[in-house]
């Protein structure tokens, strides 16, 4: 505290005046002119996941999304919100656990938007049922209200504010339908824009600030 009052501590080369200033393993900290901690490089990546790739960091059987990322620090990454092997679309990867927690915790209510094709025609009553939520016995919980927008006979856009295991497939199952293709278009304010399947890019600094 005395060092802070004496304006001797710098984080990211800025003098710290607040004793509550947050520091983590990505912060570069110095006292006077001595380096106390060299911050690790925080990585934030968006990937257009193609169908057939597993949302895992390694697997003996199937190719994983990490196989698509030729970055020297790819082994440090974890996935912020998985997609099923049969799903495609926006996947976020990072080595910053605080950021991924903010994106994936149901309490944070970050919107995730999916384009869904179904085997059977989508009944209009499904809109109300998705909004009401479904009780999932296995987890003993009721899903948060979700928006279902019917775009065609077998095509819909679904917005979730959480990410439960196989959530969209299970929700369509409850309305006696079956998902035949599922594509995640966006997470919060982040969309895939024109990133082709299999391609990835690092997020710009301003893109990592407001996930919601
Ligand atoms: N819901 C699913 O059922 N699968 C996904 O991959 C994502 C959401």
């Amino acid at each position: 505290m005395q060092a802070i009052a004496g304006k001797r501590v710098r984080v990211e080369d800025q003098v710290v005046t607040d004793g509550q200033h947050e520091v983590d393993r990505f912060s570069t900290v110095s006292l006077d002119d001595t380096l106390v901690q060299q911050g690790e490089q925080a990585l934030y990546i968006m990937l257009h996941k193609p169908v057939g790739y597993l949302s895992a960091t390694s697997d003996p059987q199937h190719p994983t999304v990490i196989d698509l990322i030729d970055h020297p620090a790819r082994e440090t990454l974890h996935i912020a919100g998985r997609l099923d092997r049969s799903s495609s679309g926006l996947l976020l990867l990072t080595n910053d656990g605080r950021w991924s927690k903010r994106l994936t915790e149901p309490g944070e209510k970050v919107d995730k938007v999916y384009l869904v094709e179904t085997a059977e025609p989508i009944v209009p009553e499904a809109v109300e049922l998705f909004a009401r939520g479904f009780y999932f016995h296995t987890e003993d919980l009721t899903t948060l209200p979700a928006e279902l927008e019917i775009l065609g006979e077998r095509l819909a856009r679904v917005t979730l504010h959480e990410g439960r295991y196989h959530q969209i497939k299970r929700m369509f199952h409850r309305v006696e339908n079956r998902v035949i293709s599922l594509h995640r278009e966006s997470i919060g304010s982040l969309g895939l824009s024109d990133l082709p399947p299999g391609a990835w890019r690092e997020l710009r600094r301003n893109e990592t600030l407001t996930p919601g």
Side-chain angles (χ1 to χ4, degrees):
M1 266 329 227
Q2 269 182 350
I4 288 177
K7 302 202 164 120
R8 297 168 57 207
V9 178
R10 284 172 177 266
V11 174
E12 274 31 289
D13 231 19
Q14 300 286 316
V15 173
V16 174
T17 50
D18 175 5
Q20 304 295 313
H21 191 100
E22 275 195 33
V23 169
D24 58 21
R25 64 184 216 276
F26 305 113
S27 315
T28 296
V29 184
S30 57
L31 175 66
D32 300 327
D33 282 330
T34 308
L35 189 65
V36 176
Q37 171 178 289
Q38 176 62 60
E40 286 174 40
Q41 191 201 357
L43 257 185
Y44 307 94
I45 282 175
M46 72 156 67
L47 167 73
H48 185 158
K49 178 195 173 300
V51 169
Y53 283 78
L54 211 61
S55 290
T57 48
S58 71
D59 188 78
Q61 222 187 334
H62 299 291
T64 74
V65 291
I66 295 287
D67 298 332
L68 295 166
I69 297 171
D70 54 344
H71 187 287
R74 68 180 193 167
E75 302 300 336
T76 67
L77 294 170
H78 62 266
I79 297 158
R82 290 159 195 273
L83 283 171
D84 297 339
R85 193 159 70 91
S86 57
S87 304
S88 60
L90 176 62
L91 196 74
L92 297 174
L93 300 104
T94 184
N95 56 5
D96 180 351
R98 277 203 294 199
W99 186 70
S100 53
K101 203 164 171 223
R102 254 171 49 218
L103 283 173
T104 53
E105 289 218 322
E108 298 285 341
K109 298 206 171 91
V110 176
D111 291 1
K112 295 162 193 82
V113 181
Y114 300 84
L115 201 59
V116 188
E117 263 185 275
T118 61
E120 308 298 332
I122 303 165
V123 293
E125 305 82 70
V127 174
E128 171 67 21
L129 294 168
F130 274 51
R132 242 190 259 163
F134 296 98
Y135 177 69
F136 283 173
H137 190 260
T138 327
E139 296 96 327
D140 185 25
L141 58 83
T142 301
T143 55
L144 292 174
E147 287 92 62
L148 172 67
E149 186 191 350
I150 300 177
L151 303 173
E153 198 185 33
R154 293 155 209 262
L155 186 68
R157 181 168 282 123
V158 177
T159 304
L160 297 184
H161 309 283
E162 59 186 338
R164 307 284 175 195
Y165 179 68
H166 289 337
Q167 183 165 345
I168 293 187
K169 289 180 182 158
R170 291 160 83 192
M171 288 178 13
F172 275 98
H173 189 68
R174 290 294 181 84
V175 292
E176 281 156 36
N177 209 330
R178 189 166 55 82
V179 170
I180 56 171
S181 91
L182 184 52
H183 176 83
R184 183 152 64 199
E185 296 181 314
S186 63
I187 299 176
S189 55
L190 293 170
L192 273 174
S193 49
D194 50 6
L195 207 61
W200 63 277
R201 70 165 175 85
E202 280 190 50
L203 297 184
R204 292 178 282 274
R205 199 172 168 72
N206 63 339
E207 291 177 310
T208 65
L209 298 177
T210 49

